[in-house]
Amino acid sequence: MLAIIVASLLAVASRAETVAPLPPEEAALAAIDERPAVREALALQAAAGSQAEALRVGPHEFTLGGAYGQKDVDGEGEYNEWEASITRSLRWPGKARLDRELGGVLTEAAENSLADARHAEAQALLSAWFGWLKAEAQASSDRELAQALEQAANAVRSQFRQGDASQMQVELAEAEAGRAAAAAGRSAMAARQLRHALQIAYPALTVPEQPPEVPEPIAPDRPLAEWPALILERSHELHLAELAESRAQLHAQRASKERWPDPTVGVRMLDEFDGAEKTLGVVVSVPLPGRYRSALAAQ
């Protein structure tokens, strides 16, 4: 995350009694969250939360049923009859547990993907920022060289007027000064283009007209031998791979549970012979598993 990078560099800068050459942390984080990849990851995180909620509550819903008819009994007449029912399928407890675990894995993977997107955009921002600083430093160096060579050319011209230098020496000095001025112009243009591109890519940032000073780098306090383990521990890519494996295992276990169909239970009410007979009962139905479910579980 950029916040960690910023905090580390600010700590280094404070030890060096200088200001870290970084954009303001709050503005940088806002600029990162505006990037398309991060906005996509934020949307996918919200979608994963909704998917996890759907898995938690399950796909089964209440079903209302009813019927009405007239019964004609020989010698007795016609009777109005009706029936009504409300039923709902129920997940077996093992299925509900796996669905909750799967929802948790999906949510964690979406959060990790968001962190990975922000990390990648933070690196891209820092690369663009320091690319601009490098171009500004090159432009400043080229400008100083051009000024120095122009002063040298002026000195050769003065010597020529005094008869201490030849025309060829003047022309050589002017040629060197001209080449340096052209190089300074090109590097200044490159720095302006990089600054403009940085401002367009990250509109939440205010890129200063004058680049900040870059302090001398200081080695981190943590020993270098500890970094490989720390990188693996905090690796978004590695954690995403582990979550993908967990998701695949849960899907396989869930498919195995589908060999046993979910039962449907409910309440049924009957009214017969114009209310002379009333029935209130419980209904249960369980599909019988077949080869189709076994094939899906094997897949």
Side-chain angles (χ1 to χ4, degrees):
M1 291 290 295
L2 181 60
I4 299 175
I5 301 173
V6 170
S8 301
L9 290 179
L10 285 177
V12 171
S14 64
R15 294 197 301 270
E17 298 183 354
T18 58
V19 178
L22 294 172
E25 180 179 347
E26 184 176 348
L29 292 174
I32 287 171
D33 278 352
E34 287 183 354
R35 298 294 294 167
V38 176
R39 293 180 66 181
E40 178 188 16
L42 284 168
L44 291 176
Q45 182 189 37
S50 298
Q51 187 177 2
E53 176 66 12
L55 288 170
R56 186 186 67 81
V57 300
H60 303 313
E61 298 173 329
F62 287 97
T63 301
L64 294 175
Y68 170 80
Q70 286 187 333
K71 179 180 289 186
D72 189 352
V73 181
D74 290 343
E76 295 186 16
E78 297 181 348
Y79 299 92
N80 293 318
E81 296 185 341
W82 60 268
E83 67 175 91
S85 64
I86 179 170
T87 60
R88 186 181 188 274
S89 295
L90 301 176
R91 281 179 299 176
W92 295 110
K95 293 182 180 181
R97 175 184 59 80
L98 288 174
D99 286 342
R100 289 193 297 271
E101 291 181 6
L102 182 58
V105 169
L106 292 175
T107 301
E108 186 178 357
E111 292 173 352
N112 204 71
S113 295
L114 174 58
D116 188 45
R118 281 174 167 156
H119 185 197
E121 289 297 337
Q123 290 178 320
L125 170 56
L126 287 177
S127 177
W129 184 268
F130 280 100
W132 167 60
L133 292 183
K134 181 179 179 180
E136 289 285 3
Q138 184 65 52
S140 177
S141 176
D142 290 346
R143 184 168 54 252
E144 292 175 358
L145 177 60
Q147 292 173 352
L149 290 178
E150 181 61 30
Q151 291 175 357
N154 289 334
V156 173
R157 293 190 193 97
S158 177
Q159 291 174 354
F160 174 74
R161 288 192 293 270
Q162 296 174 3
D164 295 332
S166 65
Q167 180 66 33
M168 179 176 292
Q169 289 176 312
V170 172
E171 292 175 355
L172 288 175
E174 290 177 344
E176 288 294 331
R179 280 193 292 268
R186 288 192 297 269
S187 58
M189 176 62 71
R192 286 195 297 271
Q193 289 175 341
L194 287 175
R195 181 184 179 279
H196 186 59
L198 187 63
Q199 189 68 78
I200 291 176
Y202 302 96
L205 285 180
T206 301
V207 184
E209 291 288 343
Q210 297 299 324
E213 293 293 329
V214 180
E216 290 294 325
I218 300 177
D221 294 333
R222 186 185 301 272
L224 295 179
E226 297 180 9
W227 282 101
L230 182 65
I231 291 172
L232 289 177
E233 178 186 347
R234 297 183 179 179
S235 170
H236 297 122
E237 294 85 353
L238 181 59
H239 192 43
L240 283 172
E242 293 170 345
L243 291 172
E245 180 188 10
S246 298
R247 184 168 63 249
Q249 290 177 347
L250 289 172
H251 274 303
Q253 296 175 34
R254 187 64 173 81
S256 179
K257 292 289 185 182
E258 279 298 320
R259 286 179 172 150
W260 299 99
D262 293 326
T264 300
V265 299
V267 177
R268 184 184 183 197
M269 295 174 290
L270 298 175
D271 187 297
E272 299 178 306
F273 293 104
D274 279 335
E277 293 183 8
K278 296 180 182 295
T279 303
L280 177 62
V282 176
V283 295
V284 179
S285 64
V286 181
L288 298 177
R291 291 185 298 172
Y292 174 77
R293 291 178 178 271
S294 297
L296 288 182
Q299 178 189 359

